[in-house]
Amino acid sequence: MSQDLAATPADAVQTSGVLRFFLRAVCKSAEICKYWDRPFTRAATAFEEMTLLDKIYWVYKCAHPIIRPERGTAIGALCGADNMIQLPEDFETERSISLAAVGDLIPSGGLEQSKDVLYEHVADLIFDRTISYASLEAPLTNQERKAEVISEKESPIECCSQEQFDVMKGHNGKCLTVIHTASNHMFDMGAEGVHRTLDQFARDGIVDIGTNREPSQYGKGRILERNGIKVGFISAAFGLNGRDPAPDQAYLIHVAKLLPKRGPSDLSLLKRQIDHCREQRCDVIIASLHWGYEFEFFPRTRQIDIAHTLIEWGVDALIAHHPHVIQPVEYYRTQRDPDRVAVIAYSLGSLLWSYTAPHLVLSAILNLSFAKGTYRGKPTTLIQSASVTPVFRAQVRDGDRTLTRIEKLDRCMGTQDNHEKTQYVAEIRRYAELALGGKLSGMHSLD
């Protein structure tokens, strides 16, 4: 909780007087009549496809997140199933690697003051791993930075300062290994923003996925090798908020119509990348998707079908972001190999953003380990372990400064110094239990 930041984007919407009255009237009606108690079936997720009603639905969800699934969605199979990850008994492990993944990194006010404070309570979960992964939803730029403005006329522009990125990228000299850059905001500052971001990554030794320096990189996976295990990342964003590159710049960002309002999803770009990773004999393929419906705690049925399709095509784990809230983590036993269980994180939420409502400060850290070895006489690589840690960002007072720090949710239960803070953390926990299947009973209070 902070007096410095707005609770939700709904508090920051800028509209004309007549439209403001209409927006409030529709939202109040929806709240009373509960006709958006479940996801609005015909809603658009891409800004360029949104009607006025879609935009009002978006504003409504900011403050009233959708906590019930789309009708017909088999949610029990997502968040009701146990973690089935374990190696077969006769699997002979030869080497292994670990991976940590967090959600979207979005600039927020005052973040530049939080260097080596931001991650201090979660650094072990993120930076003590072979590969540490995040999604950056705001390009760096040398242009004049623009403030986030939310209105019906255009999507807000996101951009990141060097000072804020220096805080986001690491902790005490340890830096993120991989950052996903294909998001609906990646072209907000044009081609300059893409190139400026990639130049900074090169200086920091960060592997970028989802954006390309050269046309020859388009449609290929990004491959890195650690401890003798070759990992291929495939990536795509669902759109660019209507700010599409010129044809000769289209190679810069992996974009696909993953969830169009009308017509079928286009998975051809992802299939092309999977095939490339297989040709390069990757031991592990990880899909990184920027997609979904914002402020909804469960994926749509169409997303579940797409995720399963990608797994059957060869993906071993899927890490997704964009909804700004967490969604279930599914352990999916594949049809292509009954001994193989894939992990699908439908949304890890936003690790960093400017808003303080309980559903928006909550995110999750996914930890995976992969074992490479021999199984039934054949070289095989499988997921060895998986865990999910709910976390939230907190505002911390340091004299006259307000710092941002990521806290483990289980370490904060019962430790608050007043009733308001206790209720706030309890509400965060309720959202975590909703999306993760009520599996947080192991949370403990500190004395």
Side-chain angles (χ1 to χ4, degrees):
M1 294 175 295
S2 173
Q3 301 302 315
D4 303 323
L5 301 175
T8 77
D11 301 319
V13 173
Q14 298 182 11
T15 60
S16 63
V18 174
L19 182 57
R20 187 182 304 113
F21 175 81
F22 182 65
L23 186 152
R24 290 176 178 173
V26 175
C27 288
K28 190 63 177 178
S29 175
E31 184 180 356
I32 295 172
C33 301
K34 299 186 182 302
Y35 51 76
W36 283 335
D37 191 35
R38 289 186 185 269
F40 176 30
T41 303
R42 297 183 299 279
T45 184
F47 186 86
E48 61 270 25
E49 294 183 321
M50 285 186 176
T51 64
L52 178 59
L53 184 60
D54 289 318
K55 294 171 184 177
I56 293 174
Y57 176 59
W58 187 94
V59 173
Y60 174 83
K61 292 189 294 179
C62 292
H64 306 86
I66 309 303
I67 62 173
R68 299 180 69 186
E70 185 180 37
R71 293 188 186 279
T73 304
I75 291 303
L78 302 186
C79 54
D82 293 330
N83 183 336
M84 304 179 291
I85 303 291
Q86 67 176 63
L87 294 175
E89 289 186 4
D90 50 349
F91 186 94
E92 298 179 7
T93 301
E94 298 170 2
R95 57 193 67 213
S96 63
I97 59 171
S98 57
L99 178 142
V102 303
D104 280 321
L105 307 179
I106 307 173
S108 59
L111 182 62
E112 59 274 2
Q113 303 178 71
S114 303
K115 188 171 178 60
D116 295 331
V117 172
L118 178 66
Y119 297 112
E120 64 179 341
H121 289 175
V122 296
D124 59 322
L125 292 176
I126 301 171
F127 299 103
D128 293 347
R129 299 297 188 269
T130 313
I131 298 171
S132 52
Y133 159 107
S135 168
L136 178 64
E137 199 171 357
L140 282 80
T141 182
N142 291 321
Q143 303 171 63
E144 181 180 355
R145 291 190 298 278
K146 300 180 180 180
E148 181 185 74
V149 176
I150 301 173
S151 74
E152 81 283 2
K153 297 178 181 178
E154 65 175 358
S155 66
I157 290 177
E158 301 287 354
C159 54
C160 185
S161 71
Q162 181 66 53
E163 293 76 18
Q164 292 206 341
F165 182 72
D166 286 343
V167 174
M168 294 176 178
K169 71 183 182 183
H171 179 75
N172 282 345
K174 294 183 177 180
C175 198
L176 290 164
T177 312
V178 173
I179 297 183
H180 174 100
T181 46
S183 80
N184 55 313
H185 288 287
M186 195 56 198
F187 211 66
D188 281 5
M189 305 305 292
E192 184 273 341
V194 178
H195 289 299
R196 170 72 177 83
T197 303
L198 298 186
D199 288 345
Q200 184 62 49
F201 286 11
R203 286 191 286 271
D204 292 327
I206 297 170
V207 176
D208 62 279
I209 56 175
T211 44
N212 307 292
R213 288 184 175 275
E214 305 292 340
S216 61
Q217 295 178 313
Y218 183 82
K220 294 181 179 178
R222 191 75 82 243
I223 299 169
L224 63 156
E225 187 169 338
R226 297 289 187 274
N227 194 28
I229 298 179
K230 188 179 288 189
V231 182
F233 285 90
I234 71 166
S235 57
F238 68 92
L240 296 174
N241 292 339
R243 301 185 178 101
D244 296 330
D248 63 344
Q249 297 177 331
Y251 70 89
L252 286 172
I253 307 172
H254 281 161
V255 179
K257 291 188 178 298
L258 301 177
L259 298 169
K261 187 170 183 176
R262 296 178 180 83
S265 301
D266 183 0
L267 306 183
S268 59
L269 177 61
L270 294 169
K271 181 64 164 63
R272 181 175 167 185
Q273 294 175 72
I274 292 172
D275 291 343
H276 173 252
C277 289
R278 285 185 150 183
E279 290 168 3
Q280 299 301 309
R281 299 186 180 278
C282 289
D283 300 296
V284 174
I285 301 177
I286 297 174
S288 179
L289 299 185
H290 197 86
W291 71 340
Y293 291 80
E294 291 161 296
F295 317 114
E296 299 184 13
F297 273 90
F298 296 98
R300 302 291 183 101
T301 300
R302 180 161 57 151
Q303 291 178 261
I304 298 171
D305 292 341
I306 290 172
H308 292 176
T309 295
L310 295 176
I311 297 298
E312 297 300 346
W313 284 350
V315 167
D316 298 291
L318 188 153
I319 304 168
H321 22 80
H322 175 65
H324 300 305
V325 296
I326 67 169
Q327 293 181 349
V329 174
E330 180 183 9
Y331 303 96
Y332 174 76
R333 189 171 296 279
T334 69
Q335 297 178 22
R336 61 184 167 97
D337 179 357
D339 293 310
R340 183 178 299 275
V341 176
V343 174
I344 304 170
Y346 285 97
S347 173
L348 293 179
S350 294
L351 189 74
L352 297 175
W353 205 16
S354 294
Y355 302 102
T356 62
H359 60 287
L360 298 180
V361 299
L362 172 66
S363 64
I365 299 174
L366 174 68
N367 286 112
L368 301 175
S369 65
F370 299 88
K372 181 177 181 178
T374 304
Y375 180 53
R376 295 178 177 174
K378 296 181 179 180
T380 305
T381 304
L382 298 173
I383 297 178
Q384 184 176 23
S385 66
S387 64
V388 182
T389 304
V391 298
F392 70 98
R393 60 185 177 276
Q395 302 300 307
V396 182
R397 294 299 298 178
D398 178 28
D400 59 351
R401 301 187 304 164
T402 298
L403 308 180
T404 302
R405 186 167 64 205
I406 307 302
E407 303 284 2
K408 298 175 184 176
L409 184 55
D410 67 339
R411 304 298 293 179
C412 291
M413 294 303 300
T415 65
Q416 306 308 310
D417 55 11
N418 63 51
H419 179 71
E420 183 183 4
K421 290 182 180 179
T422 298
Q423 291 297 105
Y424 181 71
V425 174
E427 189 170 355
I428 296 171
R429 174 178 173 147
R430 284 194 290 272
Y431 284 119
E433 290 178 336
L434 171 73
L436 301 178
K439 299 178 184 178
L440 308 185
S441 58
M443 285 187 169
H444 57 276
S445 301
L446 297 182
D447 296 330

